[in-house]
Amino acid sequence: MRITPTYLFVLLCFGFLVYSFTIYIKPSQQIKTQQFDASIAAEGKLIWQKYNCQSCHQLYGLGGYLGPDLTNVYSRKNETIIKGIIGSGVRSMPAFQIPDDEFTKLLEFLKQADASGNADYRNYNVLPNGMIEMQ
Ligand code: HEC
């Protein structure tokens, strides 16, 4: 069959519709019910910047890529575990000695990030040859 411009146009329209359909059948954003204090979270953002967490972590998909995306870490891990990870460090993450008052603010900031966004968190396996593979 010869590919005429009309045929191509119909094919592209069809492709567009199928692609749009697949996007819209993805599950919509979850509705979060968490409450957070916006002014404490704003102070927490400064703590986040002070310790330069963004250099290794992403929020809403943006930031450094050494560590995982932390947008929804607040609902993935509980506060005690988050505190433990930050205080003692894990693998390539250094330990941070963050005073309790700063930690409370930082946590409020992570709570706000969790309530306001859904990031596509992915888990990877590191293969023996150093390459990574999505779980
Ligand atoms: C030098 C890079 C680096 C910096 C700076 C850094 N992290 Fe990390 N962080 C990592 C890495 C890498 C991991 C993943 C460790 C692993 O499990 O392999 C991680 C893991 C975490 C986790 C656990 C995430 C999960 O889902 O398991 C939390 C929470 C976290 N970091 C918070 C912070 C906070 C808050 C700061 C700023 C105070 C910070 N990190 C600064 C590298 C960093």
Side-chain angles (χ1 to χ4, degrees):
M1 186 170 70
R2 240 183 88 236
I3 299 178
T4 62
T6 315
Y7 176 71
L8 194 62
F9 178 72
V10 171
L11 189 75
L12 287 174
C13 288
F14 181 71
F16 171 76
L17 289 174
V18 170
Y19 185 62
S20 303
F21 182 72
T22 57
I23 286 175
Y24 286 107
I25 58 173
K26 271 187 163 181
S28 59
Q29 300 238 323
Q30 297 160 251
I31 295 169
K32 308 272 179 61
T33 50
Q34 271 164 38
Q35 298 297 315
F36 60 88
D37 184 320
S39 64
I40 300 179
E43 289 176 44
K45 186 179 182 191
L46 299 178
I47 308 294
W48 172 263
Q49 289 169 348
K50 177 177 166 189
Y51 292 99
N52 213 4
C53 311
Q54 191 81 14
S55 62
C56 296
H57 291 284
Q58 312 102 62
L59 280 181
Y60 313 111
L62 294 174
Y65 284 91
L66 188 64
D69 187 299
L70 297 184
T71 314
N72 303 122
V73 75
Y74 191 84
S75 47
R76 275 192 290 109
K77 298 231 149 71
N78 75 38
E79 293 186 8
T80 319
I81 293 180
I82 296 178
K83 192 170 187 173
I85 290 174
I86 297 172
S88 54
V90 265
R91 291 193 263 187
S92 39
M93 173 167 161
F96 289 87
Q97 303 308 320
I98 302 184
D100 275 351
D101 61 317
E102 286 191 346
F103 183 78
T104 315
K105 293 171 187 166
L106 181 64
L107 213 57
E108 201 68 16
F109 174 63
L110 290 177
K111 202 194 279 187
Q112 183 189 43
D114 185 37
S116 58
N118 281 309
D120 186 9
Y121 182 78
R122 294 173 185 179
N123 281 312
Y124 295 95
N125 292 324
V126 181
L127 304 177
N129 64 2
M131 302 295 280
I132 54 166
E133 179 185 77
M134 203 144 78
Q135 266 174 14

